[in-house]
Amino acid sequence: MATDEITESINLTEDGQVTKRIIKEGLGLNPEKSDTVTVHYDAYLVETNTLFDSSRERRSEFTFTLNSGKVIKAWEIAIPTMKVGEIAEIICTSDYGYGDEGRTYIVPKKAKLRYEIELLGHWESATSSTERIASAEKKKAEGNELFNKGSWNEALFAYKKGRDYIKDLWNCEYEELEQCRVLMVALHLNIAACYMKLKQLDYAIEVCKKALDRDPASLKAYYRLGQTYLQLGEYDEGLSYVNVGLQYSTNNADLLALKSVLEKKKEQWINDSKKIYRKMCN
């Protein structure tokens, strides 16, 4: 998992006018210099420690493409050094910020700036169906690595970006359509797994059902739905999905084990309810 150990400041430029200090370590690959990135940030004037801009206060993530002229030089230098989930403090002089003139009414002339930036995710540009499928596969692999390290929010972001590459991909060859369908099912189920870890169970149910829209015989989807309804205490609903899955694979060990757990939990709930009712009546 990512660590919260604060590191020493390092120079990102030879003149020492852009420095970086890691507040929270991230995971995975660094963005490429033409990637699109999504961040959260807080921006301060160093001299007065005044907050002058914040995506967090707006509750709106900021997305832009590197080297597109949308952000200051310090960001173009610093963000490619970051990993997903990393939070870093970036300090820069006006030469790498808003210059001698500043930013009218917001940033004074020749102001030194401090940013706390969190890299939420990044992804590459892809246009052809082959490129989009390949990029989705890369995001799936990135998500798997993050998920296995316990970084579920970061994994969720990666899986969703993978899904974005192919969710509206229809104008392609049959083989690519089938590849896309299988990949979309896998991404939906991985997204569901993240939601389950994050205890956002209604979202987990929603994306599992989307997986079944693409593959009505997905045993993993039926299993995840059974697990989710088990956590919600909705045992009949869980059993209904598990039983449908068993129609496709009558001897599936995972589904049979989950069915047994659901039946026992249901029986226990009925017995507990009877005891409560008896006490109320007495």
Side-chain angles (χ1 to χ4, degrees), residues 22-53:
I22 296 176
I23 298 171
K24 177 189 172 187
E25 296 277 1
L27 295 166
L29 301 174
N30 301 101
E32 298 291 334
K33 294 205 172 184
S34 59
D35 278 2
T36 299
V37 300
T38 295
V39 301
H40 262 314
Y41 68 90
D42 296 311
Y44 299 86
L45 303 176
V46 169
E47 186 175 353
T48 60
N49 200 35
T50 302
L51 180 71
F52 69 86
D53 190 13

PDB file of all heavy atoms in Angstrom, residues 22-53:
ATOM      1  N   ILE A  22       7.563  14.814  -1.023  1.00  0.00           N
ATOM      2  CA  ILE A  22       6.475  13.831  -1.029  1.00  0.00           C
ATOM      3  C   ILE A  22       5.847  13.759   0.357  1.00  0.00           C
ATOM      4  O   ILE A  22       6.530  13.488   1.352  1.00  0.00           O
ATOM      5  CB  ILE A  22       6.985  12.450  -1.472  1.00  0.00           C
ATOM      6  CG1 ILE A  22       7.486  12.494  -2.922  1.00  0.00           C
ATOM      7  CG2 ILE A  22       5.869  11.401  -1.338  1.00  0.00           C
ATOM      8  CD1 ILE A  22       8.107  11.195  -3.409  1.00  0.00           C
ATOM      9  N   ILE A  23       4.555  14.003   0.418  1.00  0.00           N
ATOM     10  CA  ILE A  23       3.792  13.910   1.663  1.00  0.00           C
ATOM     11  C   ILE A  23       3.235  12.499   1.842  1.00  0.00           C
ATOM     12  O   ILE A  23       3.213  11.954   2.939  1.00  0.00           O
ATOM     13  CB  ILE A  23       2.643  14.943   1.654  1.00  0.00           C
ATOM     14  CG1 ILE A  23       3.223  16.366   1.573  1.00  0.00           C
ATOM     15  CG2 ILE A  23       1.758  14.791   2.890  1.00  0.00           C
ATOM     16  CD1 ILE A  23       2.181  17.435   1.333  1.00  0.00           C
ATOM     17  N   LYS A  24       2.788  11.917   0.737  1.00  0.00           N
ATOM     18  CA  LYS A  24       2.282  10.541   0.747  1.00  0.00           C
ATOM     19  C   LYS A  24       2.774   9.846  -0.508  1.00  0.00           C
ATOM     20  O   LYS A  24       2.600  10.360  -1.609  1.00  0.00           O
ATOM     21  CB  LYS A  24       0.752  10.530   0.781  1.00  0.00           C
ATOM     22  CG  LYS A  24       0.145   9.128   0.709  1.00  0.00           C
ATOM     23  CD  LYS A  24      -1.366   9.202   0.531  1.00  0.00           C
ATOM     24  CE  LYS A  24      -1.947   7.822   0.260  1.00  0.00           C
ATOM     25  NZ  LYS A  24      -3.380   7.874  -0.079  1.00  0.00           N
ATOM     26  N   GLU A  25       3.401   8.703  -0.334  1.00  0.00           N
ATOM     27  CA  GLU A  25       3.915   7.943  -1.473  1.00  0.00           C
ATOM     28  C   GLU A  25       2.765   7.406  -2.316  1.00  0.00           C
ATOM     29  O   GLU A  25       1.693   7.080  -1.795  1.00  0.00           O
ATOM     30  CB  GLU A  25       4.766   6.765  -0.997  1.00  0.00           C
ATOM     31  CG  GLU A  25       6.032   7.163  -0.252  1.00  0.00           C
ATOM     32  CD  GLU A  25       7.168   7.505  -1.189  1.00  0.00           C
ATOM     33  OE1 GLU A  25       6.964   7.441  -2.415  1.00  0.00           O
ATOM     34  OE2 GLU A  25       8.256   7.841  -0.693  1.00  0.00           O
ATOM     35  N   GLY A  26       3.010   7.302  -3.625  1.00  0.00           N
ATOM     36  CA  GLY A  26       2.029   6.705  -4.528  1.00  0.00           C
ATOM     37  C   GLY A  26       2.494   5.367  -5.049  1.00  0.00           C
ATOM     38  O   GLY A  26       3.492   4.808  -4.579  1.00  0.00           O
ATOM     39  N   LEU A  27       1.768   4.840  -6.023  1.00  0.00           N
ATOM     40  CA  LEU A  27       2.054   3.520  -6.583  1.00  0.00           C
ATOM     41  C   LEU A  27       1.968   3.571  -8.104  1.00  0.00           C
ATOM     42  O   LEU A  27       1.357   4.461  -8.679  1.00  0.00           O
ATOM     43  CB  LEU A  27       1.041   2.491  -6.060  1.00  0.00           C
ATOM     44  CG  LEU A  27       1.049   2.185  -4.568  1.00  0.00           C
ATOM     45  CD1 LEU A  27      -0.219   1.440  -4.188  1.00  0.00           C
ATOM     46  CD2 LEU A  27       2.273   1.367  -4.187  1.00  0.00           C
ATOM     47  N   GLY A  28       2.573   2.582  -8.754  1.00  0.00           N
ATOM     48  CA  GLY A  28       2.395   2.417 -10.188  1.00  0.00           C
ATOM     49  C   GLY A  28       3.347   3.258 -11.019  1.00  0.00           C
ATOM     50  O   GLY A  28       4.396   3.712 -10.558  1.00  0.00           O
ATOM     51  N   LEU A  29       2.950   3.489 -12.266  1.00  0.00           N
ATOM     52  CA  LEU A  29       3.781   4.169 -13.244  1.00  0.00           C
ATOM     53  C   LEU A  29       3.596   5.684 -13.188  1.00  0.00           C
ATOM     54  O   LEU A  29       2.535   6.175 -12.814  1.00  0.00           O
ATOM     55  CB  LEU A  29       3.447   3.676 -14.650  1.00  0.00           C
ATOM     56  CG  LEU A  29       3.631   2.177 -14.918  1.00  0.00           C
ATOM     57  CD1 LEU A  29       3.110   1.826 -16.307  1.00  0.00           C
ATOM     58  CD2 LEU A  29       5.096   1.783 -14.770  1.00  0.00           C
ATOM     59  N   ASN A  30       4.642   6.402 -13.579  1.00  0.00           N
ATOM     60  CA  ASN A  30       4.539   7.852 -13.714  1.00  0.00           C
ATOM     61  C   ASN A  30       3.806   8.198 -15.009  1.00  0.00           C
ATOM     62  O   ASN A  30       3.856   7.435 -15.972  1.00  0.00           O
ATOM     63  CB  ASN A  30       5.928   8.489 -13.760  1.00  0.00           C
ATOM     64  CG  ASN A  30       6.749   8.186 -12.528  1.00  0.00           C
ATOM     65  OD1 ASN A  30       7.605   7.314 -12.568  1.00  0.00           O
ATOM     66  ND2 ASN A  30       6.499   8.883 -11.458  1.00  0.00           N
ATOM     67  N   PRO A  31       3.142   9.360 -15.063  1.00  0.00           N
ATOM     68  CA  PRO A  31       2.509   9.784 -16.321  1.00  0.00           C
ATOM     69  C   PRO A  31       3.546  10.026 -17.410  1.00  0.00           C
ATOM     70  O   PRO A  31       4.664  10.468 -17.125  1.00  0.00           O
ATOM     71  CB  PRO A  31       1.816  11.099 -15.944  1.00  0.00           C
ATOM     72  CG  PRO A  31       1.754  11.111 -14.458  1.00  0.00           C
ATOM     73  CD  PRO A  31       2.923  10.324 -13.973  1.00  0.00           C
ATOM     74  N   GLU A  32       3.161   9.726 -18.641  1.00  0.00           N
ATOM     75  CA  GLU A  32       3.967  10.123 -19.787  1.00  0.00           C
ATOM     76  C   GLU A  32       3.724  11.607 -20.055  1.00  0.00           C
ATOM     77  O   GLU A  32       2.718  12.181 -19.626  1.00  0.00           O
ATOM     78  CB  GLU A  32       3.584   9.293 -21.019  1.00  0.00           C
ATOM     79  CG  GLU A  32       3.829   7.802 -20.868  1.00  0.00           C
ATOM     80  CD  GLU A  32       5.296   7.450 -20.819  1.00  0.00           C
ATOM     81  OE1 GLU A  32       6.107   8.226 -21.371  1.00  0.00           O
ATOM     82  OE2 GLU A  32       5.641   6.415 -20.222  1.00  0.00           O
ATOM     83  N   LYS A  33       4.626  12.234 -20.791  1.00  0.00           N
ATOM     84  CA  LYS A  33       4.564  13.691 -20.948  1.00  0.00           C
ATOM     85  C   LYS A  33       3.418  14.166 -21.826  1.00  0.00           C
ATOM     86  O   LYS A  33       3.172  15.370 -21.932  1.00  0.00           O
ATOM     87  CB  LYS A  33       5.897  14.215 -21.468  1.00  0.00           C
ATOM     88  CG  LYS A  33       7.005  14.007 -20.449  1.00  0.00           C
ATOM     89  CD  LYS A  33       8.136  14.988 -20.616  1.00  0.00           C
ATOM     90  CE  LYS A  33       9.121  14.871 -19.459  1.00  0.00           C
ATOM     91  NZ  LYS A  33      10.196  15.873 -19.515  1.00  0.00           N
ATOM     92  N   SER A  34       2.686  13.252 -22.462  1.00  0.00           N
ATOM     93  CA  SER A  34       1.515  13.659 -23.248  1.00  0.00           C
ATOM     94  C   SER A  34       0.221  13.080 -22.674  1.00  0.00           C
ATOM     95  O   SER A  34      -0.831  13.175 -23.295  1.00  0.00           O
ATOM     96  CB  SER A  34       1.673  13.215 -24.702  1.00  0.00           C
ATOM     97  OG  SER A  34       1.815  11.803 -24.777  1.00  0.00           O
ATOM     98  N   ASP A  35       0.292  12.496 -21.472  1.00  0.00           N
ATOM     99  CA  ASP A  35      -0.892  11.904 -20.851  1.00  0.00           C
ATOM    100  C   ASP A  35      -1.869  12.976 -20.383  1.00  0.00           C
ATOM    101  O   ASP A  35      -1.490  14.126 -20.117  1.00  0.00           O
ATOM    102  CB  ASP A  35      -0.497  11.058 -19.633  1.00  0.00           C
ATOM    103  CG  ASP A  35      -0.023   9.676 -20.013  1.00  0.00           C
ATOM    104  OD1 ASP A  35       0.045   9.377 -21.216  1.00  0.00           O
ATOM    105  OD2 ASP A  35       0.294   8.881 -19.101  1.00  0.00           O
ATOM    106  N   THR A  36      -3.124  12.566 -20.257  1.00  0.00           N
ATOM    107  CA  THR A  36      -4.118  13.362 -19.553  1.00  0.00           C
ATOM    108  C   THR A  36      -4.101  12.919 -18.093  1.00  0.00           C
ATOM    109  O   THR A  36      -4.017  11.723 -17.802  1.00  0.00           O
ATOM    110  CB  THR A  36      -5.509  13.166 -20.164  1.00  0.00           C
ATOM    111  OG1 THR A  36      -5.477  13.592 -21.536  1.00  0.00           O
ATOM    112  CG2 THR A  36      -6.557  13.975 -19.424  1.00  0.00           C
ATOM    113  N   VAL A  37      -4.146  13.875 -17.179  1.00  0.00           N
ATOM    114  CA  VAL A  37      -4.053  13.568 -15.752  1.00  0.00           C
ATOM    115  C   VAL A  37      -5.235  14.189 -15.015  1.00  0.00           C
ATOM    116  O   VAL A  37      -5.821  15.178 -15.461  1.00  0.00           O
ATOM    117  CB  VAL A  37      -2.728  14.072 -15.144  1.00  0.00           C
ATOM    118  CG1 VAL A  37      -1.530  13.418 -15.823  1.00  0.00           C
ATOM    119  CG2 VAL A  37      -2.628  15.590 -15.228  1.00  0.00           C
ATOM    120  N   THR A  38      -5.560  13.591 -13.883  1.00  0.00           N
ATOM    121  CA  THR A  38      -6.572  14.149 -12.992  1.00  0.00           C
ATOM    122  C   THR A  38      -5.953  14.328 -11.616  1.00  0.00           C
ATOM    123  O   THR A  38      -5.314  13.404 -11.096  1.00  0.00           O
ATOM    124  CB  THR A  38      -7.804  13.236 -12.904  1.00  0.00           C
ATOM    125  OG1 THR A  38      -8.440  13.174 -14.190  1.00  0.00           O
ATOM    126  CG2 THR A  38      -8.813  13.771 -11.900  1.00  0.00           C
ATOM    127  N   VAL A  39      -6.126  15.517 -11.045  1.00  0.00           N
ATOM    128  CA  VAL A  39      -5.510  15.829  -9.759  1.00  0.00           C
ATOM    129  C   VAL A  39      -6.514  16.533  -8.848  1.00  0.00           C
ATOM    130  O   VAL A  39      -7.540  17.051  -9.299  1.00  0.00           O
ATOM    131  CB  VAL A  39      -4.278  16.749  -9.932  1.00  0.00           C
ATOM    132  CG1 VAL A  39      -3.225  16.099 -10.815  1.00  0.00           C
ATOM    133  CG2 VAL A  39      -4.677  18.113 -10.497  1.00  0.00           C
ATOM    134  N   HIS A  40      -6.181  16.542  -7.565  1.00  0.00           N
ATOM    135  CA  HIS A  40      -6.742  17.490  -6.601  1.00  0.00           C
ATOM    136  C   HIS A  40      -5.585  18.359  -6.136  1.00  0.00           C
ATOM    137  O   HIS A  40      -4.434  17.894  -6.086  1.00  0.00           O
ATOM    138  CB  HIS A  40      -7.361  16.770  -5.401  1.00  0.00           C
ATOM    139  CG  HIS A  40      -8.844  16.611  -5.495  1.00  0.00           C
ATOM    140  ND1 HIS A  40      -9.691  17.641  -5.863  1.00  0.00           N
ATOM    141  CD2 HIS A  40      -9.639  15.541  -5.242  1.00  0.00           C
ATOM    142  CE1 HIS A  40     -10.944  17.212  -5.846  1.00  0.00           C
ATOM    143  NE2 HIS A  40     -10.947  15.950  -5.481  1.00  0.00           N
ATOM    144  N   TYR A  41      -5.862  19.617  -5.795  1.00  0.00           N
ATOM    145  CA  TYR A  41      -4.769  20.483  -5.370  1.00  0.00           C
ATOM    146  C   TYR A  41      -5.273  21.598  -4.460  1.00  0.00           C
ATOM    147  O   TYR A  41      -6.445  21.980  -4.485  1.00  0.00           O
ATOM    148  CB  TYR A  41      -4.061  21.104  -6.586  1.00  0.00           C
ATOM    149  CG  TYR A  41      -4.922  22.093  -7.345  1.00  0.00           C
ATOM    150  CD1 TYR A  41      -4.919  23.454  -7.019  1.00  0.00           C
ATOM    151  CD2 TYR A  41      -5.767  21.671  -8.371  1.00  0.00           C
ATOM    152  CE1 TYR A  41      -5.721  24.354  -7.701  1.00  0.00           C
ATOM    153  CE2 TYR A  41      -6.569  22.568  -9.055  1.00  0.00           C
ATOM    154  CZ  TYR A  41      -6.537  23.912  -8.721  1.00  0.00           C
ATOM    155  OH  TYR A  41      -7.351  24.803  -9.383  1.00  0.00           O
ATOM    156  N   ASP A  42      -4.352  22.089  -3.640  1.00  0.00           N
ATOM    157  CA  ASP A  42      -4.528  23.326  -2.888  1.00  0.00           C
ATOM    158  C   ASP A  42      -3.357  24.228  -3.252  1.00  0.00           C
ATOM    159  O   ASP A  42      -2.197  23.773  -3.287  1.00  0.00           O
ATOM    160  CB  ASP A  42      -4.530  23.072  -1.374  1.00  0.00           C
ATOM    161  CG  ASP A  42      -5.705  22.212  -0.942  1.00  0.00           C
ATOM    162  OD1 ASP A  42      -6.834  22.522  -1.338  1.00  0.00           O
ATOM    163  OD2 ASP A  42      -5.483  21.223  -0.212  1.00  0.00           O
ATOM    164  N   ALA A  43      -3.619  25.512  -3.515  1.00  0.00           N
ATOM    165  CA  ALA A  43      -2.590  26.454  -3.962  1.00  0.00           C
ATOM    166  C   ALA A  43      -2.464  27.595  -2.956  1.00  0.00           C
ATOM    167  O   ALA A  43      -3.467  28.204  -2.562  1.00  0.00           O
ATOM    168  CB  ALA A  43      -2.952  27.001  -5.339  1.00  0.00           C
ATOM    169  N   TYR A  44      -1.212  27.888  -2.554  1.00  0.00           N
ATOM    170  CA  TYR A  44      -0.947  28.907  -1.534  1.00  0.00           C
ATOM    171  C   TYR A  44       0.080  29.918  -2.021  1.00  0.00           C
ATOM    172  O   TYR A  44       0.989  29.577  -2.796  1.00  0.00           O
ATOM    173  CB  TYR A  44      -0.383  28.261  -0.258  1.00  0.00           C
ATOM    174  CG  TYR A  44      -1.297  27.267   0.406  1.00  0.00           C
ATOM    175  CD1 TYR A  44      -1.301  25.930   0.002  1.00  0.00           C
ATOM    176  CD2 TYR A  44      -2.125  27.636   1.460  1.00  0.00           C
ATOM    177  CE1 TYR A  44      -2.124  24.996   0.620  1.00  0.00           C
ATOM    178  CE2 TYR A  44      -2.947  26.712   2.090  1.00  0.00           C
ATOM    179  CZ  TYR A  44      -2.947  25.392   1.656  1.00  0.00           C
ATOM    180  OH  TYR A  44      -3.759  24.476   2.281  1.00  0.00           O
ATOM    181  N   LEU A  45      -0.040  31.146  -1.534  1.00  0.00           N
ATOM    182  CA  LEU A  45       1.028  32.141  -1.678  1.00  0.00           C
ATOM    183  C   LEU A  45       2.015  31.886  -0.547  1.00  0.00           C
ATOM    184  O   LEU A  45       1.636  31.877   0.633  1.00  0.00           O
ATOM    185  CB  LEU A  45       0.464  33.551  -1.571  1.00  0.00           C
ATOM    186  CG  LEU A  45      -0.639  33.930  -2.570  1.00  0.00           C
ATOM    187  CD1 LEU A  45      -1.165  35.336  -2.252  1.00  0.00           C
ATOM    188  CD2 LEU A  45      -0.119  33.863  -4.000  1.00  0.00           C
ATOM    189  N   VAL A  46       3.286  31.666  -0.895  1.00  0.00           N
ATOM    190  CA  VAL A  46       4.283  31.307   0.120  1.00  0.00           C
ATOM    191  C   VAL A  46       4.455  32.422   1.145  1.00  0.00           C
ATOM    192  O   VAL A  46       4.545  32.171   2.357  1.00  0.00           O
ATOM    193  CB  VAL A  46       5.634  30.965  -0.550  1.00  0.00           C
ATOM    194  CG1 VAL A  46       6.748  30.858   0.491  1.00  0.00           C
ATOM    195  CG2 VAL A  46       5.523  29.662  -1.331  1.00  0.00           C
ATOM    196  N   GLU A  47       4.496  33.662   0.698  1.00  0.00           N
ATOM    197  CA  GLU A  47       4.797  34.791   1.599  1.00  0.00           C
ATOM    198  C   GLU A  47       3.796  34.919   2.732  1.00  0.00           C
ATOM    199  O   GLU A  47       4.166  35.195   3.881  1.00  0.00           O
ATOM    200  CB  GLU A  47       4.852  36.089   0.794  1.00  0.00           C
ATOM    201  CG  GLU A  47       5.305  37.275   1.627  1.00  0.00           C
ATOM    202  CD  GLU A  47       5.479  38.534   0.799  1.00  0.00           C
ATOM    203  OE1 GLU A  47       5.371  38.460  -0.448  1.00  0.00           O
ATOM    204  OE2 GLU A  47       5.726  39.595   1.395  1.00  0.00           O
ATOM    205  N   THR A  48       2.521  34.701   2.449  1.00  0.00           N
ATOM    206  CA  THR A  48       1.477  34.883   3.473  1.00  0.00           C
ATOM    207  C   THR A  48       0.790  33.581   3.862  1.00  0.00           C
ATOM    208  O   THR A  48      -0.061  33.574   4.758  1.00  0.00           O
ATOM    209  CB  THR A  48       0.407  35.854   2.956  1.00  0.00           C
ATOM    210  OG1 THR A  48      -0.175  35.313   1.753  1.00  0.00           O
ATOM    211  CG2 THR A  48       1.008  37.216   2.654  1.00  0.00           C
ATOM    212  N   ASN A  49       1.149  32.482   3.194  1.00  0.00           N
ATOM    213  CA  ASN A  49       0.497  31.179   3.387  1.00  0.00           C
ATOM    214  C   ASN A  49      -1.012  31.267   3.148  1.00  0.00           C
ATOM    215  O   ASN A  49      -1.817  30.585   3.774  1.00  0.00           O
ATOM    216  CB  ASN A  49       0.761  30.617   4.791  1.00  0.00           C
ATOM    217  CG  ASN A  49       0.522  29.113   4.846  1.00  0.00           C
ATOM    218  OD1 ASN A  49       0.790  28.387   3.887  1.00  0.00           O
ATOM    219  ND2 ASN A  49      -0.003  28.636   5.964  1.00  0.00           N
ATOM    220  N   THR A  50      -1.399  32.121   2.184  1.00  0.00           N
ATOM    221  CA  THR A  50      -2.802  32.327   1.846  1.00  0.00           C
ATOM    222  C   THR A  50      -3.240  31.329   0.778  1.00  0.00           C
ATOM    223  O   THR A  50      -2.587  31.211  -0.264  1.00  0.00           O
ATOM    224  CB  THR A  50      -3.031  33.755   1.321  1.00  0.00           C
ATOM    225  OG1 THR A  50      -2.602  34.688   2.308  1.00  0.00           O
ATOM    226  CG2 THR A  50      -4.500  33.983   0.994  1.00  0.00           C
ATOM    227  N   LEU A  51      -4.336  30.646   1.040  1.00  0.00           N
ATOM    228  CA  LEU A  51      -4.920  29.747   0.038  1.00  0.00           C
ATOM    229  C   LEU A  51      -5.629  30.598  -1.014  1.00  0.00           C
ATOM    230  O   LEU A  51      -6.542  31.348  -0.691  1.00  0.00           O
ATOM    231  CB  LEU A  51      -5.912  28.800   0.701  1.00  0.00           C
ATOM    232  CG  LEU A  51      -6.617  27.785  -0.217  1.00  0.00           C
ATOM    233  CD1 LEU A  51      -5.650  26.713  -0.697  1.00  0.00           C
ATOM    234  CD2 LEU A  51      -7.806  27.142   0.507  1.00  0.00           C
ATOM    235  N   PHE A  52      -5.196  30.461  -2.279  1.00  0.00           N
ATOM    236  CA  PHE A  52      -5.835  31.268  -3.331  1.00  0.00           C
ATOM    237  C   PHE A  52      -6.605  30.435  -4.349  1.00  0.00           C
ATOM    238  O   PHE A  52      -7.337  30.972  -5.168  1.00  0.00           O
ATOM    239  CB  PHE A  52      -4.816  32.169  -4.037  1.00  0.00           C
ATOM    240  CG  PHE A  52      -3.807  31.454  -4.893  1.00  0.00           C
ATOM    241  CD1 PHE A  52      -4.086  31.128  -6.212  1.00  0.00           C
ATOM    242  CD2 PHE A  52      -2.562  31.112  -4.384  1.00  0.00           C
ATOM    243  CE1 PHE A  52      -3.152  30.481  -7.006  1.00  0.00           C
ATOM    244  CE2 PHE A  52      -1.623  30.468  -5.166  1.00  0.00           C
ATOM    245  CZ  PHE A  52      -1.918  30.141  -6.481  1.00  0.00           C
ATOM    246  N   ASP A  53      -6.451  29.125  -4.290  1.00  0.00           N
ATOM    247  CA  ASP A  53      -7.189  28.261  -5.223  1.00  0.00           C
ATOM    248  C   ASP A  53      -7.196  26.849  -4.663  1.00  0.00           C
ATOM    249  O   ASP A  53      -6.207  26.405  -4.054  1.00  0.00           O
ATOM    250  CB  ASP A  53      -6.526  28.289  -6.609  1.00  0.00           C
ATOM    251  CG  ASP A  53      -7.378  27.620  -7.677  1.00  0.00           C
ATOM    252  OD1 ASP A  53      -8.563  27.358  -7.422  1.00  0.00           O
ATOM    253  OD2 ASP A  53      -6.850  27.357  -8.777  1.00  0.00           O
TER     254      ASP A  53
END
